[in-house]
């Protein structure tokens, strides 16, 4: 199917490209929470190169979304409260060697 991105793994997010005067921005939209992040590529892996939100990202905030910064998303897991994570989630974190908040929040785990 032309123009439709093939999804090979289950993901916790959707992707979209926004074309603007400065080029292209790839937006990650969490599937279950109103969380938005920006990255350099549309890859299916959970190790994204998160980038700072563009100046126009305030549009998401004013619509009720939480725009996560690259700094927040690259925070090591030991630097955030993970007490709500289940035993199964921790099993996946160890299996996939996820070390940052972004790797856990925006993942392609089965």
């Amino acid at each position: 199917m032309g123009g439709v991105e093939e999804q090979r793994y289950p993901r916790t997010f959707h992707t979209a490209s926004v074309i603007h005067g400065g080029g292209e921005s790839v937006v990650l939209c969490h599937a279950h929470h109103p969380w938005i992040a920006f990255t350099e590529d549309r890859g299916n892996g959970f190790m994204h190169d998160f980038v700072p939100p563009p100046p126009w990202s305030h549009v998401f905030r004013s619509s009720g979304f939480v725009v996560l910064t690259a700094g927040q998303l690259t925070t090591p897991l030991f630097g955030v409260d993970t007490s709500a994570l289940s035993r199964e989630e921790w099993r996946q974190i160890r299996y996939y060697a996820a070390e940052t908040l972004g790797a856990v929040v925006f993942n392609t785990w089965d």
Side-chain angles (χ1 to χ4, degrees), residues 36-78:
I36 302 290
F38 294 87
T39 186
E40 293 181 344
D41 63 57
R42 294 175 65 96
N44 284 328
F46 62 86
M47 297 297 194
H48 294 282
D49 293 322
F50 296 104
V51 296
W56 49 263
S57 66
H58 64 86
V59 173
F60 289 106
R61 279 189 220 95
S62 63
S63 298
F65 291 92
V66 175
V67 177
L68 300 169
T69 67
Q72 290 171 312
L73 293 164
T74 57
T75 300
L77 284 180
F78 64 78

Side-chain angles (χ1 to χ4, degrees), residues 3-4 10 26 36 53 90 98 109:
V4 175
V26 178
I36 302 290
W90 273 110
W109 306 338

